[in-house]
Amino acid sequence: MGSPRTLVLWDIDHTLVSIDGVGRDIYAEAFQVVTGQPMRQVAAMAGRTDWAITAETLRMHDVEVSEELLSSFVAALAEAFVVYEAEISQRGRVLAGVREVLDVLAGRADVIQSLLTGNMEPLAIGKLRAFELEGFVDFEVGAYGMDHEDRAVLVGLAQERAARKYEESFTARNTVLVGDTPNDVLAGLEGGARVVAVATGSSDVQALKEAGAELVLEDLADTAAVVRALLGASDL
């Protein structure tokens, strides 16, 4: 067997794509359906899982959280996403350099690309499909926002899924997490992955470095530099 492959785990929102505003609309629709009342506010979303966002948003409205209610909310989110899916490609965009980087990595036999995202799986798939990015990643080995409330736990889940499918071991040495928030950085550090942060969201380079990212890029526009950063990180 040759050298172990590198598992690249991508965050979605503000790392691969930007769909400002649509996420809140989807939550508002689901909230109305599940609770019968309008959503006055939504919990902070950046770098958090749908599980955590949903639970906090319900509590902010004095709604008692239960497993049954969370399940109902998940179903309502999926249905609301279908309603807004067409708007995602209209109101959103793929960030600079993303398609080129995904394409180059997809052509390499030593790389497996998947997702580590706060989005629950149907939303993650739908967001990538809206921009024709779904063919670049292996959804089966990703970890998603309703797998666990704690984003750091998702790293191990993705590694376990990749290990089962590809019959290789994935550790911090050959797993790279790419994200745009301090929560992404902490998830990688605590969960067992190298981190390459990208300052394409609301957090600047300094904030991402202070969170502990070993490498921070301004964006993903320089394809060659991004590929070197991602694959070099696994050898540090």
Side-chain angles (χ1 to χ4, degrees), residues 41 122 178 230:
Q41 55 186 326
V178 191
L230 296 178

Side-chain angles (χ1 to χ4, degrees), residues 4 10 17 20-21 24 60 66 73 82 115 117 124 129 194 197 214 229:
W10 293 98
V17 303
D20 288 343
R24 190 190 189 285
M60 289 165 71
S66 65
F73 206 103
V82 173
L115 302 173
T117 172
R129 186 174 58 227
R194 300 284 182 179
E214 63 184 67

Side-chain angles (χ1 to χ4, degrees), residues 44-67:
M45 291 181 165
R48 304 181 71 200
T49 62
D50 275 337
W51 184 332
I53 297 165
T54 296
E56 185 178 341
T57 299
L58 289 167
R59 293 188 187 105
M60 289 165 71
H61 293 77
D62 299 318
V63 177
E64 185 176 347
V65 178
S66 65
E67 286 190 18

Side-chain angles (χ1 to χ4, degrees), residues 49-165:
T49 62
D50 275 337
W51 184 332
I53 297 165
T54 296
E56 185 178 341
T57 299
L58 289 167
R59 293 188 187 105
M60 289 165 71
H61 293 77
D62 299 318
V63 177
E64 185 176 347
V65 178
S66 65
E67 286 190 18
E68 182 179 358
L69 187 61
L70 282 173
S71 295
S72 297
F73 206 103
V74 166
L77 276 175
E79 292 175 5
F81 182 82
V82 173
V83 174
Y84 285 94
E85 189 165 2
E87 290 191 33
I88 289 175
S89 57
Q90 296 167 7
R91 292 166 58 178
R93 61 191 173 88
V94 179
L95 296 180
V98 164
R99 197 178 302 276
E100 292 80 4
V101 171
L102 291 176
D103 186 42
V104 168
L105 293 178
R108 295 184 61 120
D110 59 346
V111 173
I112 298 162
Q113 295 189 95
S114 192
L115 302 173
L116 193 141
T117 172
N119 290 277
M120 60 188 234
E121 188 171 2
L123 272 63
I125 295 171
K127 285 181 179 180
L128 265 62
R129 186 174 58 227
F131 299 102
E132 299 182 343
L133 298 175
E134 73 275 20
F136 295 117
V137 302
D138 183 347
F139 292 110
E140 289 184 358
V141 302
Y144 303 94
M146 294 308 294
D147 286 337
H148 199 280
E149 185 173 10
D150 184 349
R151 199 178 184 99
V153 174
L154 300 185
V155 177
L157 289 176
Q159 289 170 329
E160 290 169 10
R161 290 166 181 170
R164 282 198 301 270
K165 179 169 183 177

